[in-house]
Amino acid sequence: MSAETQHPFTTVIGLEVHVQLQTKTKLFCGCITTFGSPPNTQVCPTCLGLPGSLPVMNRRAFDLSLRAALALNCKIALFTKWDRKNYFYPDLPKGYQISQFDLPFSYEGHLEVCDPKGAFEPRTVRITRVHLEEDAGKSMHDETAGTADSRIDLNRTGTPLCEIVTEPDLRSAEEARAWLNELKLLLVYLGVSDCNMQEGSLRVDANVNLHIPQEDGRLAKTPIVEIKNMNSFRSVERALVYETERQWGEWQATKAEIGSMPKQTRGWDDSAGVTRGQRHKEESSDYRYFPEPDLVPVTVTEEQVTTIRSSMGEPPAVLRKTLADRWKIPANDAGVLVNQGPELVRYFEDLATRVGEGKVASNWMQQDVLRTLNERGGNITDFPVRPEAVADIIARVQKGDFDTSRGREIFASVVEKGASVAEVVAGMGIAAVDDSDLRALCEELIAENPKIVADVKGGKEQAAGGLIGQAKRKNPNVNPGKVRALAIELIRALP
Amino acid sequence: MPTHDDTEPKLTREDVIKVAMLARLALSENEVTSLTQELTKIVGFVSQLSEIDTSDVEPLAHPLDSQNVFREDEPATSLKTADALRSAPRHDGECFLVPAVLGESSSA
Ligand SMILES: [Zn+2]
């Protein structure tokens, strides 16, 4: 149980998420959108806002944002237009952002989130709207340098952004984090965005306040606070936990309710673990939107919507179920695999196809591949052991060359040495124990263990288990199952 | 005292000061006075349009009778950095330089 749920109030959270769309070029010009390039190398007259330049809409950006909206179960407006949001900031060279105001292309969707461990009830979060707009540039200020200047890099200016706004339907920091994970997974699976927070392709602001039942039956609501500058989902969770406690303290001290002050913006300081009030930008909400004269409206047909819907692929919530059905693996296994992202699912399905058995492949994924991947860090696409190698190990285990625990040692060694399975097997002196060796070994064990032999002869077959450890000490490559079976056979044959 | 009816727009000094602030224009007291008068005339002139009954007219999103203008997602050549920076009042060869921006970047 998280701290905030112990208090006599409901935490009410809404999120505003911006994701950069996975296009090659910007929303209104042909400049590329590669992250981390030297400053001002991906700019042109259009994204610099130079006089005489005109924006032209990137079709793929529009299609990707439609895909996102459909995946979020939104209604699609068949007529949509863009508007100018006017404000002055050095990272916004035109003096306005091209965004959508009164006719966004989609609205009224929803996305569910469940917690597999049941930490909270399944929650449906309503989506207010999804719209398409352009990103701003970056301003950098090196306070330690003591210079009076800020440096402006406009490479990011004009990058296509999908803005996703939720209704205030989340009820805890934990839920917010889980929902964001689900949203990210969805957008990654559909190829809408890479959702890389470190590179700023996914950014989250949160609105939070408390609903506190009063003795007279009235519901008191604390002023809504918008939290910004959260750079990871973990930060979002921490910031919301902090802000909940802060508002509760504030309520007890001041009894200030919503409407008694303008909406407050607070920035999350991750290292200090606190939110701090930001300087109130006076009238900042007065953006004087008006229709963008440089862009004509866009209409969408039902056929287009159908086409995009049918080409979308399976969203994670569906895939969890189909993967479990397709490979006959437990729902929990499928959930773990799907939550790791599409590349890992591809790896698993490749492995499962080679092995021909989902459960065995899933066990190796969960126990060996995922554990090793977590320890090493990095991405499954860079993982040194490819599915064919894991399938090779599993095939050798199934053939009886060695047992599973030996197979896992081999796996670890393949990871560590970066060698092939065959090389590791040869290097470890693992050779398949042939039948005559196995027979000689079992006869030796029988001679050395009269007590076990007597027990087995007396009908206690499980006593043969006592031979396995000894057999492995004599020859680590023996297959325990084969030792057990042959030993019992030989003992039974004894006079 | 008011001679105009309720539909006639009236611009106050406060409106002008607020719009000037949003547009980052520093106006003198005299300019606020003269602009309040001039803008009131302009808004009054434009507001003649509100006398027309438009209840049967579809709102116009764009004066051009054109829709769905797109480009493909194909890269085009960007400017060289030196050219991009050329007309800026101040730059350091890499970035535009502006007076210190404190606080966070504007969030889109
Ligand atoms: Zn450009």
Side-chain angles (χ1 to χ4, degrees):
Chain A
M1 205 175 187
S2 53
E4 72 257 42
T5 56
Q6 294 161 15
H7 291 310
F9 58 74
T10 308
T11 308
V12 178
I13 301 164
L15 301 173
E16 191 178 302
V17 181
H18 286 92
V19 290
Q20 288 182 351
L21 300 173
Q22 261 175 324
T23 55
K24 284 187 278 193
T25 68
K26 294 186 179 181
L27 186 52
F28 300 124
C29 63
C31 293
I32 55 170
T33 56
T34 310
F35 177 81
S37 302
N40 297 304
T41 52
Q42 294 165 190
V43 292
C44 75
T46 301
C47 56
L48 289 174
L50 298 185
S53 62
L54 282 173
V56 187
M57 179 81 60
N58 181 334
R59 177 177 291 283
R60 180 157 174 81
F62 185 75
D63 287 350
L64 285 178
S65 51
L66 260 186
R67 197 186 284 197
L70 287 171
L72 292 167
N73 306 292
C74 285
K75 294 176 184 159
I76 305 298
L78 300 183
F79 180 93
T80 187
K81 71 168 175 78
W82 278 262
D83 302 274
R84 287 190 184 178
K85 178 179 179 179
N86 299 280
Y87 66 93
F88 290 109
Y89 212 80
D91 61 16
L92 189 75
K94 294 196 298 294
Y96 57 86
Q97 177 196 25
I98 301 180
S99 181
Q100 298 199 279
F101 182 55
D102 58 337
L103 295 174
F105 73 89
S106 74
Y107 55 99
E108 289 178 14
H110 58 91
L111 177 66
E112 284 76 35
V113 64
C114 308
D115 185 75
K117 299 189 193 81
F120 54 84
E121 291 292 303
R123 178 75 70 188
T124 298
V125 177
R126 289 169 298 157
I127 309 286
T128 314
R129 61 189 274 158
V130 177
H131 76 236
L132 177 60
E133 63 183 26
E134 59 176 336
D135 207 346
K138 270 184 200 155
S139 66
M140 299 164 279
H141 192 76
D142 184 359
E143 279 166 31
T144 57
T147 61
D149 293 328
S150 286
R151 305 172 76 231
I152 308 293
D153 171 11
L154 297 179
N155 280 349
R156 198 175 71 179
T157 310
T159 300
L161 280 185
C162 213
E163 180 178 306
I164 299 163
V165 182
T166 79
E167 294 289 314
D169 287 345
L170 290 156
R171 292 292 173 267
S172 73
E174 192 180 21
E175 272 183 36
R177 181 178 180 175
W179 188 84
L180 285 167
N181 269 323
E182 188 68 10
L183 175 70
K184 173 180 168 175
L185 209 55
L186 178 67
L187 298 175
V188 169
Y189 267 97
L190 299 185
V192 168
S193 171
D194 64 19
C195 293
N196 184 333
M197 280 188 99
Q198 276 78 46
E199 296 184 358
S201 11
L202 187 152
R203 310 197 281 274
V204 184
D205 298 331
N207 283 296
V208 56
N209 74 340
L210 311 180
H211 289 187
I212 310 159
Q214 301 300 293
E215 279 175 6
D216 60 6
R218 197 176 61 89
L219 197 61
K221 299 174 181 177
T222 59
I224 297 175
V225 169
E226 179 174 15
I227 315 174
K228 289 181 173 288
N229 312 336
M230 299 170 290
N231 295 319
S232 66
F233 289 169
R234 193 175 133 65
S235 300
V236 173
E237 186 175 14
R238 289 176 65 213
L240 285 168
V241 167
Y242 174 86
E243 184 59 24
T244 304
E245 293 297 320
R246 193 197 66 79
Q247 287 191 23
W248 177 238
E250 187 90 358
W251 163 258
Q252 286 168 312
T254 65
K255 302 285 178 205
E257 293 191 42
I258 194 166
S260 65
M261 59 179 84
K263 184 172 147 183
Q264 204 191 145
T265 301
R266 298 179 71 85
W268 170 246
D269 181 334
D270 203 55
S271 49
V274 299
T275 61
R276 292 204 173 93
Q278 292 187 332
R279 198 162 48 93
H280 189 62
K281 274 191 230 153
E282 214 175 341
E283 305 293 348
S284 65
S285 63
D286 194 346
Y287 291 120
R288 292 149 296 141
Y289 283 97
F290 66 85
E292 169 58 64
D294 290 344
L295 288 172
V296 295
V298 168
T299 57
V300 181
T301 62
E302 295 287 357
E303 292 75 55
Q304 275 174 286
V305 172
T306 309
T307 308
I308 290 177
R309 203 188 287 279
S310 62
S311 69
M312 277 193 338
E314 289 172 315
V318 174
L319 186 58
R320 286 187 190 105
K321 193 166 178 337
T322 51
L323 202 67
D325 293 348
R326 188 150 63 226
W327 295 104
K328 301 192 170 48
I329 55 175
N332 198 43
D333 281 22
V336 169
L337 295 171
V338 170
N339 289 357
Q340 301 289 320
E343 278 124 9
L344 190 115
V345 169
R346 265 196 290 282
Y347 186 108
F348 163 71
E349 295 215 271
D350 186 349
L351 177 62
T353 307
R354 289 167 191 276
V355 175
E357 205 184 327
K359 183 68 186 130
V360 175
S362 177
N363 287 346
W364 277 80
M365 290 301 295
Q366 319 269 345
Q367 288 168 33
D368 299 279
V369 177
L370 276 177
R371 203 198 53 228
T372 314
L373 189 65
N374 288 341
E375 283 165 10
R376 290 169 55 94
N379 200 298
I380 186 72
T381 47
D382 310 322
F383 192 63
V385 189
R386 303 316 303 160
E388 47 269 42
V390 183
D392 187 4
I393 297 173
I394 296 174
R396 289 169 192 250
V397 170
Q398 287 175 337
K399 212 166 77 186
D401 286 3
F402 38 78
D403 67 347
T404 303
S405 64
R406 196 76 170 138
R408 300 173 83 180
E409 287 170 36
I410 293 164
F411 175 88
S413 191
V414 171
V415 174
E416 197 184 313
K417 300 196 174 88
S420 74
V421 176
E423 282 164 357
V424 169
V425 168
M428 286 170 96
I430 301 172
V433 180
D434 71 29
D435 286 350
S436 63
D437 288 345
L438 190 69
R439 193 175 190 88
L441 182 91
C442 286
E443 281 166 348
E444 212 178 299
L445 289 172
I446 289 167
E448 289 167 8
N449 293 280
K451 169 92 175 63
I452 292 177
V453 171
D455 285 348
V456 173
K457 267 189 93 75
K460 284 170 67 186
E461 282 197 359
Q462 66 271 32
L467 299 173
I468 309 290
Q470 297 182 43
K472 293 217 83 168
R473 276 194 292 280
K474 286 176 189 289
N475 184 344
N477 299 325
V478 292
N479 181 313
K482 284 187 176 181
V483 168
R484 187 174 186 280
L486 185 60
I488 291 171
E489 188 190 318
L490 291 175
I491 292 168
R492 285 220 186 102
L494 287 174
Chain B
M1 188 197 84
T3 53
H4 53 265
D5 65 44
D6 288 346
T7 60
E8 191 172 329
K10 177 85 179 99
L11 223 62
T12 64
R13 286 181 68 85
E14 285 65 43
D15 292 331
V16 172
I17 289 166
K18 182 183 167 188
V19 171
M21 190 274 293
L22 290 171
R24 302 293 185 273
L25 295 174
L27 302 180
S28 69
E29 282 297 306
N30 285 342
E31 284 171 320
V32 171
T33 306
S34 62
L35 276 170
T36 304
Q37 289 161 3
E38 285 168 29
L39 286 172
T40 299
K41 275 185 203 153
I42 293 167
V43 173
F45 173 71
V46 173
S47 70
Q48 288 178 57
L49 288 172
S50 64
E51 290 163 17
I52 302 162
D53 179 8
T54 56
S55 51
D56 291 336
V57 180
E58 278 279 300
L60 185 69
H62 200 280
L64 288 183
D65 188 18
S66 162
Q67 289 169 348
N68 303 326
V69 177
F70 288 104
R71 44 172 277 272
E72 294 308 310
D73 184 25
E74 294 299 336
T77 312
S78 295
L79 288 174
K80 290 196 174 64
T81 303
D83 290 332
L85 299 172
R86 191 181 305 280
S87 51
R90 289 192 308 133
H91 63 81
D92 62 6
E94 241 191 357
C95 286
F96 300 92
L97 295 181
V98 298
V101 179
L102 299 172
E104 298 307 315
S105 157
S106 79
S107 123

